Amino acid sequence: GNSVTQMEGPVTLSEEAFLTINCTYTATGYPSLFWYVQYPGEGLQLLLKATKADDKGSNKGFEATYRKETTSFHLEKGSVQVSDSAVYFCASDSGGGADGLTFGKGTHLIIQP
Amino acid sequence: NAGVTQTPKFRVLKTGQSMTLLCAQDMNHEYMYWYRQDPGMGLRLIHYSVGEGTTAKGEVPDGYNVSRLKKQNFLLGLESAAPSQTSVYFCASSEGQGPGTQYFGPGTRLLVL
């Protein structure tokens, strides 16, 4: 089955620093890839997604590029803010979309002013 | 438009007790999912449904049952709760086949003593 591996935190950065959270996946088919964000006490919200190789998903200053050759989907942001503090989950589907998402373990991001 | 709602928000059970978690969505989505979130484990799929009257097992189905009698509702049942089922439970829904975004509810925190 599919699996997703992401760097585990917590990751602590200063405001305006550059952010990278690594994510790699294994899959037998052609999955779509997702980044979800979870703020304290809330459910998960979709941050961005990419559905095929070389696609770039972007939202709220965050970007991630679907790299089939390295099976990666790293999340980046050029200048983080305190409000970006949250837990970030990388996820993949099975390619068909029916049988749920496979999640990484999550990366807790802490941004200090 | 409330999106995905879950009841209850929090519950304490004694070992052996039963309960039902309710998930409701008002987006007319075909697919619905139940996940559990445990520290350091990310989210794991318990059961899912691809339409009214259908259910299927996910990664960790043991000890749980589900029903989808109405398109908008997806119930998760614990017949005899165990301490290992202490977790945060999230419901999600998506439109249907293909790389659709999953929309998550706010979660139900369950403590089994």
Side-chain angles (χ1 to χ4, degrees):
Chain A
N2 292 6
S3 67
V4 175
T5 303
Q6 63 181 102
M7 57 190 296
E8 297 185 31
V11 173
T12 304
L13 296 173
S14 298
E15 204 167 18
E16 299 184 1
F18 184 86
L19 168 71
T20 300
I21 301 178
N22 291 338
C23 172
T24 57
Y25 68 92
T26 62
T28 53
Y30 300 94
S32 295
L33 302 172
F34 307 83
W35 277 101
Y36 280 83
V37 58
Q38 183 180 32
Y39 298 102
E42 298 183 9
L44 279 70
Q45 305 172 25
L46 179 70
L47 181 60
L48 54 84
K49 70 179 181 183
T51 59
K52 61 183 186 297
D54 299 325
D55 266 3
K56 178 186 284 187
S58 61
N59 186 25
K60 299 181 181 178
F62 291 89
E63 293 183 341
T65 300
Y66 190 143
R67 302 284 188 200
K68 188 177 178 183
E69 63 275 13
T70 55
T71 62
S72 65
F73 193 54
H74 304 322
L75 182 68
E76 297 181 336
K77 186 174 185 182
S79 177
V80 293
Q81 306 299 315
V82 172
S83 58
D84 294 327
S85 297
V87 180
Y88 292 80
F89 292 93
C90 185
S92 73
D93 70 8
S94 62
D99 50 354
L101 297 174
T102 299
F103 286 87
K105 294 183 177 180
T107 301
H108 186 194
L109 176 65
I110 301 168
I111 307 300
Q112 296 177 334
Chain B
N1 192 338
V4 179
T5 58
Q6 294 181 232
T7 51
K9 287 184 171 55
F10 177 69
R11 184 75 183 270
V12 179
L13 287 179
K14 294 181 180 179
T15 297
Q17 287 185 318
S18 63
M19 78 164 294
T20 300
L21 283 66
L22 172 63
C23 174
Q25 52 95 4
D26 61 2
M27 296 174 282
N28 201 37
H29 284 171
E30 288 294 330
Y31 293 4
M32 296 186 74
Y33 310 85
W34 276 107
Y35 295 89
R36 59 178 288 173
Q37 182 181 30
D38 301 295
M41 296 291 293
L43 278 77
R44 293 179 292 170
L45 183 66
I46 305 171
H47 286 280
Y48 64 99
S49 167
V50 298
E52 182 178 318
T54 74
T55 62
K57 294 180 180 180
E59 179 186 355
V60 288
D62 294 343
Y64 305 95
N65 56 76
V66 288
S67 63
R68 183 102 180 268
L69 298 180
K70 294 182 179 180
K71 186 177 183 178
Q72 64 268 31
N73 295 338
F74 194 29
L75 279 63
L76 178 71
L78 286 73
E79 290 186 348
S80 180
S84 60
Q85 295 177 304
T86 293
S87 188
V88 181
Y89 292 86
F90 287 101
C91 177
S93 70
S94 66
E95 288 182 345
Q97 196 82 19
T101 299
Q102 290 193 14
Y103 296 84
F104 283 80
T108 294
R109 187 173 297 274
L110 176 65
L111 175 62
V112 183
L113 301 175

